[in-house]
Amino acid sequence: MTELTIKRPDDWHVHLRDGESLATTVPDISRYFGRAIVMPNLVPPVMNAEQAAEYHSRIMAANPAAHFTPLMVLYLTDNTTAQDIRDAKASGIVYACKLYPAGATTNSSSGVTDINNIEQVVAAMQEVGMPLLIHGEVTHSDIDIFDREAVFIDTILKPLVAKYPDLKVVLEHITTKNAVDFVKSASDNIAATITAHHLLYNRNHMLVGGIRPHYFCLPVLKRNTHQAALVAAATSGSKKFFLGTDSAPHPKHAKESACGCAGSYTAHAAIELYAEVFEAEDALDKLEAFASLNGPAFYGLPVNNDEITLEKSTWDVPETMAFGSDVVVPIRAGEQIAWKVKGE
Ligand SMILES: NC(=O)N[C@@H](CC(=O)O)C(=O)O
Ligand SMILES: [Zn+2]
Ligand SMILES: [Zn+2]
């Protein structure tokens, strides 16, 4: 296949950052994505409907393409109230709330320190039909970083979904076979996003022959058997799995550092990178479900009514890209990508 036309895709997990960064991240993500679930881990975070509305305005002021709508998300803290959830629902611009266990990832220090602290909040989310998006990793220092997702599923997520059977939950950026198996076995209210980089890479790519900081993201890349489970899930056509890039830019100097930040930038070539994965699996016919249909179905939103066309056409990824007044090193920097969106 050398051309593939699909309904306009959406990105159900992206970091656009703020301030001058929006001048580059917003045009990048809106080139062909119709909607994006915009992560709220700013400093300070987006904690209520008013802050979400202000952030929404700043994103719209950065000139996204006309087909693009940002879907805002609240960042849950120990102090979030049930009223915050009701106000967010009433705002009409907040589509989900995000649980960052405190200390789990980039800008998560204001996150929830104990899931029991937000019982009333989660109950209100279940009641009003607000999806809970989860960075699913425990943070205890005695739990190995490669086990943190699996331990989170067993100790936090399973009890949570048992307690709130009507709550919609997205386990974000899954990285393990444990997560795939859990999501598949859970009710229709439980789904997961999968990034392009977790489909394309495993921890060998990050660590063999030298440490490659641009592959470092959280949850960290796992062994290749987990990668294979993610690829099988994404290309299966199951409604429970959908596209979430977790494109998470950091300036080059902050990644290439003695203590480098977690996050990989893929918004320059997201659907193109996913297309490579689906092509390698001989599953290009399943890309539309993953990228354009399953996400809206889960969120109860309409599918976008226009289309994009991908063509087999190799292009060179630059070594760096502008990121506000800084630069970011994108995934595949200095290498090639095999697919291109027509008209781009
Ligand atoms: N994925 C990452 O490694 N980093 C994200 C945060 C997140 O999604 O966990 C970021 O904001 O940089
Ligand atoms: Zn995360
Ligand atoms: Zn993220």
Side-chain angles (χ1 to χ4, degrees), residues 84-138:
D84 290 330
I85 303 303
R86 296 201 177 89
D87 292 346
K89 182 73 181 178
S91 77
I93 59 159
V94 176
Y95 286 80
C97 298
K98 182 75 187 269
L99 169 61
Y100 289 102
T105 187
T106 303
N107 299 342
S108 63
S109 56
S110 316
V112 174
T113 57
D114 183 334
I115 187 84
N116 295 315
N117 294 343
I118 56 164
E119 268 181 12
Q120 302 303 316
V121 169
V122 178
M125 291 177 64
Q126 174 171 253
E127 190 189 308
V128 304
M130 178 74 83
L132 176 65
L133 316 184
I134 300 182
H135 179 107
E137 289 192 289
V138 294

Side-chain angles (χ1 to χ4, degrees), residues 165-226:
D166 296 326
L167 180 70
K168 286 200 162 201
V169 174
V170 184
L171 188 54
E172 299 291 334
H173 48 39
I174 59 170
T175 63
T176 57
K177 180 173 188 304
N178 311 59
V180 169
D181 291 345
F182 168 72
V183 170
K184 273 205 233 164
S185 68
S187 84
D188 285 351
N189 287 331
I190 315 301
T193 54
I194 309 181
T195 78
H197 44 288
H198 287 98
L199 294 172
L200 286 163
Y201 307 118
N202 59 62
R203 64 197 195 184
N204 277 7
H205 294 92
M206 181 174 63
L207 295 172
V208 172
I211 186 161
R212 291 177 172 74
H214 299 289
Y215 288 127
F216 177 60
C217 63
L218 289 170
V220 70
L221 293 170
K222 306 297 191 298
R223 61 171 68 241
N224 61 358
T225 47
H226 290 295

